[in-house]
Amino acid sequence: MAITSANQLELLQTAEAVAREKMIDPGLVVEAMEESLARAAKSRYGAEMDIRVSIDRKTGKATFTRVRTVVADDELENYQAEMTVEQAKQYMESPEIGDVFVEEVPPVEMGRIAAQSAKQVILQKVREAERDRQYEDFKDRVGTIINGAVKREEFGNVIVDLGGAEAVLRRNDKIGRESYRPNDRVRAYIKEVRRETRGHQIFLSRTAPEFMAELFKMEVPEIYDGIIEVKAVARDPGSRAKIAVISYDNSIDPVGACVGMRGSRVQAVVNELQGEKIDIIPWNEDQPTFLVNALQPAEVSKVVLDEEAGKIEVVVPEEQLSLAIGRRGQNVRLASQLTGLDIDIMTEAEESARRQKEFEARTQLFMDSLDLDEFFAQLLVSEGFTNLEEVAYVELDELLVIDGVDEGTANELQARAREFLEAQAKAALDSARSLGAEDSLIEFEGLTPQMVEALAKDGVKTLEDFATCADWELAGGWTTVDGQRVKDDGILEPFGVTLEEAQDLVMTARVMLGWVDPADLEQPEADVEDEAADEEAEA
């Protein structure tokens, strides 16, 4: 195919037609044509040449040019696209390194193979431009709800036509056993928009908790206006969900506003979510109170919160246990997701038995270590003493409040406790040394002999070994495997070391070893002030 005057305008008309169909800039299509023609010309004149093509945007005339760059003598590599200063003098008056000499070359005729190659280049460029256009159009719409029409289904994934763009609703983002036929209308949440070299880049979801929050925002004007806020959502898609709301206007009941007149508002959301049962719960800053609300409809007798461990114990009457746990643990699982806490549910009888067991274990500890009779040991436990450290180092006055304990008895108790603890520490230290623990680790401030022993048993024997540990390896933590939370036991977790304390210990070790510059850890006062200002603005 030769580029003649007869088909010059046809090039521009083709470019405009393609651009209009794909909703992209016609200039991008023309650029793709220029690149494809340049590639065809290189196959004719030689791949080493720098051939460029320029298409006039008004007439459609294609101009073929050969470009050669002036380079230094020792940098000349490509004789077809480069030339030295001496060589350039026959074409230019006073050439300098970096100058470019452009000369027009005859247009080429495109054979069948070259035309096919040009077509592929144009199609590829058009696809890339279309993907870029879709990305720019939808990147700011992440987190919103969109309506579309089902185009087709591929391996359980639904391809949705959004009008000028395609999105995918993956199998695990559909509710239950939802099935769609072509042209069915579907409403979904834009979960993610990302650049991809091929395939879909707009991902939808109907199972995301945010989808429910956005549906309520559409149905409840008070949420849209910011009078009511959705604080948390937990879902078992297609089955049951819990949503926590708070009102910033004392005259408006957040739960009643979300339910609507005769349940009209919540029913509209339920219908969209294929009959998913929704519990609307009032949000409360006090975590135990919020948890009691979250476990509705079960009644709770007592709540014990361990903030450091992020755990909470809930005691319920025997007849309320199955209701609190829910079918297959659904109610307690959703309450846990809603509050962000690990929830242990037990009956009043189980809690009583557990406390009795703890009481007996602590009593036995004081009997064995302090050489006390059972009655005296029970007195210590009843007064709230849980371990030997508390007895050994507590203020003397706290021991004197116990019936029958005078100053001499209190001093004797503390002496026995300290003697036992010292013996334990010595035994742990000897054990750690026998396991190969080095002085650099033993003398590190913040680690007790028992901690050093536990570390040595786990293969951490030097300060360098300790400095390479992650905070969760020391303090423990939780990971999610196949949707289930799995506990990772920490080496120092039995000693009550928190994640923050583990971070501080590891960082201190790295500073001592010179791995980290202490100056990098100190935040400039200006930064702190800026952060405080930002937090105040957000509040």
Side-chain angles (χ1 to χ4, degrees):
M1 181 185 74
I3 307 296
T4 64
S5 57
N7 59 22
Q8 286 173 357
L9 282 174
E10 192 178 324
L11 278 176
L12 293 181
Q13 291 169 356
T14 304
E16 287 178 7
V18 171
R20 198 179 307 113
E21 180 188 348
K22 301 295 184 181
M23 297 172 63
I24 60 176
D25 181 8
L28 294 173
V29 182
V30 175
E31 287 176 13
M33 290 178 171
E34 289 173 342
E35 185 177 329
S36 64
L37 289 172
R39 186 174 295 188
K42 283 185 179 181
S43 66
R44 166 69 176 80
Y45 288 112
E48 295 295 321
M49 286 194 183
D50 185 1
I51 302 293
R52 301 179 190 181
V53 178
S54 174
I55 297 176
D56 190 294
R57 299 307 196 261
K58 292 181 180 179
T59 64
K61 182 183 178 183
T63 304
F64 290 72
T65 55
R66 177 189 180 187
V67 178
R68 281 185 282 180
T69 306
V70 180
V71 297
D73 293 356
D74 56 344
E75 293 180 3
L76 183 64
E77 293 180 357
N78 183 352
Y79 294 91
Q80 300 290 351
E82 296 172 345
M83 56 184 174
T84 63
V85 175
E86 284 298 323
Q87 292 170 339
K89 285 180 179 178
Q90 58 184 310
Y91 305 106
M92 307 164 71
E93 288 186 8
S94 53
E96 294 181 2
I97 293 174
D99 285 351
V100 173
F101 176 67
V102 180
E103 61 180 331
E104 191 170 338
V105 295
V108 298
E109 291 192 8
M110 297 179 70
R112 182 176 58 82
I113 296 175
Q116 188 66 25
S117 173
K119 181 182 176 183
Q120 291 298 326
V121 170
I122 294 170
L123 288 175
Q124 182 182 349
K125 287 288 184 181
V126 167
R127 279 196 295 266
E128 288 175 2
E130 188 179 12
R131 279 197 289 268
D132 287 342
R133 194 264 308 164
Q134 288 183 9
Y135 177 79
E136 293 299 327
D137 286 352
F138 286 90
K139 69 176 182 179
D140 296 326
R141 297 178 67 180
V142 173
T144 62
I145 289 178
I146 197 164
N147 293 306
V150 174
K151 203 167 185 180
R152 62 186 182 278
E153 193 165 350
E154 298 175 351
F155 310 108
N157 301 324
V158 178
I159 311 304
V160 181
D161 184 1
L162 303 179
E166 281 188 359
V168 62
L169 179 64
R170 289 175 289 198
R171 182 186 306 175
N172 57 344
D173 285 314
K174 294 192 294 185
I175 297 174
R177 299 178 180 273
E178 279 184 331
S179 61
Y180 296 97
R181 289 176 297 181
N183 298 320
D184 281 355
R185 300 299 298 176
V186 61
R187 180 189 286 182
Y189 176 81
I190 301 180
K191 185 178 181 181
E192 186 181 7
V193 177
R194 63 172 182 251
R195 293 184 185 275
E196 289 196 351
T197 53
R198 56 192 303 174
H200 299 284
Q201 53 186 6
I202 303 170
F203 297 95
L204 306 179
S205 175
R206 286 174 54 81
T207 60
E210 297 86 358
F211 181 47
M212 176 183 285
E214 287 297 312
L215 287 173
F216 269 100
K217 188 175 179 180
M218 294 171 67
E219 297 293 337
V220 183
E222 291 86 349
I223 295 178
Y224 183 83
D225 294 336
I227 300 169
I228 294 174
E229 182 185 355
V230 176
K231 298 290 284 186
V233 180
R235 291 182 64 192
D236 192 349
S239 177
R240 191 171 177 186
K242 291 179 184 286
I243 180 169
V245 291
I246 186 173
S247 172
Y248 296 111
D249 186 336
N250 294 332
S251 64
I252 296 178
D253 171 28
V255 176
C258 292
V259 172
M261 187 72 71
R262 297 181 182 176
S264 59
R265 292 175 174 176
V266 71
Q267 194 58 46
V269 178
V270 169
N271 292 341
E272 179 63 44
L273 298 177
Q274 305 294 323
E276 196 169 309
K277 295 181 178 65
I278 302 173
D279 296 335
I280 303 173
I281 296 158
W283 169 271
N284 197 300
E285 290 291 342
D286 182 54
Q287 282 190 315
T289 305
F290 179 43
L291 179 64
V292 171
N293 295 339
L295 281 171
Q296 290 175 2
E299 296 176 4
V300 177
S301 303
K302 187 167 68 172
V303 172
V304 180
L305 173 64
D306 183 349
E307 290 188 11
E308 286 189 1
K311 287 182 62 176
I312 198 160
E313 291 178 355
V314 177
V315 181
V316 297
E318 184 74 40
E319 66 274 10
Q320 293 285 316
L321 182 62
S322 59
L323 193 60
I325 294 174
R327 188 178 64 179
R328 297 177 184 171
Q330 186 184 63
N331 193 52
V332 68
R333 185 171 66 251
L334 290 175
S336 178
Q337 290 175 17
L338 201 68
T339 58
L341 297 167
D342 292 317
I343 302 172
D344 290 334
I345 292 187
M346 60 185 72
T347 63
E348 292 171 342
E350 288 172 340
E351 194 234 359
S352 177
R354 195 202 66 179
R355 292 198 174 279
Q356 183 61 32
K357 189 175 179 181
E358 286 179 356
F359 185 88
E360 291 172 359
R362 288 169 184 168
T363 300
Q364 194 63 45
L365 170 68
F366 290 142
M367 289 171 63
D368 295 342
S369 56
L370 301 179
D371 193 20
L372 302 176
D373 59 28
E374 185 176 5
F375 176 75
F376 206 113
Q378 287 176 346
L379 274 178
L380 283 175
V381 178
S382 300
E383 287 296 327
F385 290 95
T386 59
N387 54 54
L388 290 174
E389 285 80 1
E390 290 178 359
V391 177
Y393 302 110
V394 78
E395 292 291 334
L396 205 61
D397 293 343
E398 294 191 33
L399 288 170
L400 294 175
V401 298
I402 302 173
D403 290 338
V405 175
D406 55 21
E407 192 170 335
T409 307
N411 284 324
E412 176 63 22
L413 274 174
Q414 288 198 321
R416 289 185 186 182
R418 288 170 183 169
E419 185 180 338
F420 188 86
L421 289 171
E422 288 170 5
Q424 273 190 329
K426 185 178 183 305
L429 203 57
D430 292 342
S431 173
R433 289 188 189 280
S434 67
L435 289 167
E438 296 185 3
D439 289 341
S440 61
L441 186 65
I442 293 170
E443 294 168 3
F444 180 64
E445 189 175 350
L447 296 179
T448 65
Q450 287 89 342
M451 290 180 184
V452 175
E453 181 186 24
L455 288 166
K457 285 180 179 177
D458 208 79
V460 181
K461 300 178 182 180
T462 67
L463 192 61
E464 287 81 358
D465 293 341
F466 183 75
T468 59
C469 290
D471 47 15
W472 60 268
E473 289 181 286
L474 301 176
W478 293 84
T479 53
T480 302
V481 179
D482 297 331
Q484 299 293 323
R485 296 192 77 199
V486 179
K487 183 73 175 68
D488 290 322
D489 295 326
I491 305 171
L492 303 183
E493 191 174 356
F495 305 99
V497 174
T498 65
L499 204 61
E500 290 76 15
E501 290 169 343
Q503 288 172 351
D504 290 341
L505 287 170
V506 170
M507 198 54 67
T508 302
R510 291 173 182 173
V511 169
M512 289 177 64
L513 291 167
W515 295 359
V516 175
D517 187 349
D520 294 339
L521 303 178
E522 295 176 5
Q523 194 174 23
E525 289 183 11
D527 291 350
V528 175
E529 290 174 5
D530 289 344
E531 281 187 11
D534 291 343
E535 289 174 6
E536 188 177 341
E538 286 177 11

